Amino acid sequence: MAIGLVLFTACGVETPAPPPGNPPAPGTTTVLTTLPQPSSAPSVPPSSAPKPPPTTQPSKTGKIVVLDPGHNGGNSGRPGEINKQVPAGRGKTKPCNTTGTATNSGYSEHAFTWDVSQRVSEALSAKGIRVILTRRNDTGVGPCVDERAAIGNEAQADAVVSIHADGSNSAGAHGFHVAYSAPPLNAQQGEPSTRLATALRDGIRAGGFPTSTYLGSNGLAPRDDLGGLNLSTRPAALIECGNMRNADEASAMASEEGRQSYAAVIAKAIEDYLAG
């Protein structure tokens, strides 16, 4: 069955573009391939992250995780597509997607989220967890927020984790936070999602990353305005890994070692949640 694609856009500083067969075997990494590609995608440096494992890897757990790498590398070149209004839950609409933020030196959020998501995917797949990514590369457009949510819903995912980075210019703003839908619109947005968000918060904090000094409380941020979370019928949470405008966090995000550190603690936190 073909699965639609959906994105969670939630970064503090998101830069909109200028106006105008058979199901995969369990225990595998699946990168959905229904996403239309632009005829001329912008050049993006290749990711240093390991590629997702082959789809022949056997399942050990039967668990399914959807990883949603925020934004996409081709968004800036297709303003007509990413600025169109789509359902965002709670009776509201919002733009399909945004271009995301970047460090002051120009390292983009979409490249960071794609790299980290691949690393998390490899770690989870090695434990026999089937992983589905909401986009197949870092040169495409979208998918829209409503499409990204549909991926987790149709896959009946045990956990949906959207990976982002923030872009605040507030003095001293740094640290990560984890968002979840509140007030909940269905049972899965209640205890399962708050437990997932808490597991992610606890795992990332235990890995030595500080909680946000400027958003949320104690590393958690209940939100009612994030389309991917509002439209989810599965346990879902969104991680803002840190502030790309903070010099120290920008340096970590732009380095391979730093991205591996983020990926390791996120993967471990997801494993802990699934084990619980």
Side-chain angles (χ1 to χ4, degrees):
M1 175 177 67
I3 299 179
L5 301 178
V6 178
L7 257 183
F8 303 170
T9 47
C11 305
V13 175
E14 295 174 332
T15 308
N22 289 330
T28 67
T29 297
T30 303
V31 183
L32 298 186
T33 58
T34 58
L35 178 62
Q37 298 299 300
S39 56
S40 177
S43 174
V44 176
S47 170
S48 60
K51 299 303 179 186
T55 58
T56 54
Q57 183 173 336
S59 172
K60 297 178 182 178
T61 67
K63 299 291 186 181
I64 299 173
V65 170
V66 167
L67 296 177
D68 176 43
H71 311 287
N72 208 332
N75 284 2
S76 62
R78 301 287 281 271
E81 292 183 37
I82 69 163
N83 288 335
K84 70 180 181 181
Q85 294 292 305
V86 300
R90 303 184 193 271
K92 299 178 180 180
T93 62
K94 69 187 312 179
C96 161
N97 208 245
T98 71
T99 60
T101 189
T103 67
N104 290 333
S105 62
Y107 180 65
S108 66
E109 180 187 2
H110 64 76
F112 169 77
T113 66
W114 175 244
D115 187 288
V116 171
S117 294
Q118 287 188 86
R119 294 173 188 274
V120 175
S121 172
E122 182 183 66
L124 295 179
S125 296
K127 298 296 181 69
I129 297 166
R130 180 183 166 200
V131 178
I132 298 172
L133 299 175
T134 61
R135 55 184 173 101
R136 66 182 181 183
N137 55 39
D138 195 39
T139 58
V141 178
C144 298
V145 291
D146 58 321
E147 295 171 319
R148 295 194 188 213
I151 295 172
N153 296 345
E154 294 186 30
Q156 291 290 291
D158 295 285
V160 179
V161 178
S162 188
I163 297 175
H164 284 254
D166 209 2
S168 172
N169 288 314
S170 298
H174 70 278
F176 79 91
H177 68 274
V178 184
Y180 58 94
S181 183
L185 298 173
N186 55 57
Q188 293 300 310
Q189 289 181 15
E191 189 275 339
S193 289
T194 56
R195 185 163 55 86
L196 173 60
T198 301
L200 290 166
R201 187 275 311 274
D202 291 349
I204 299 171
R205 185 167 59 183
F209 293 94
T211 56
S212 175
T213 60
Y214 63 105
L215 282 173
S217 175
N218 200 25
L220 294 175
R223 299 279 295 269
D224 65 1
D225 60 331
L226 302 182
L229 299 181
N230 286 339
L231 296 170
S232 182
T233 59
R234 308 304 302 163
L238 184 150
I239 307 168
E240 294 282 9
C241 292
N243 183 15
M244 297 192 92
R245 301 296 174 80
N246 174 273
D248 291 337
E249 292 183 335
S251 177
M253 291 180 192
S255 73
E256 184 171 359
E257 181 181 3
R259 294 191 298 272
Q260 182 59 36
S261 295
Y262 277 109
V265 295
I266 291 170
K268 176 63 166 57
I270 293 172
E271 290 176 46
D272 291 344
Y273 170 79
L274 295 176

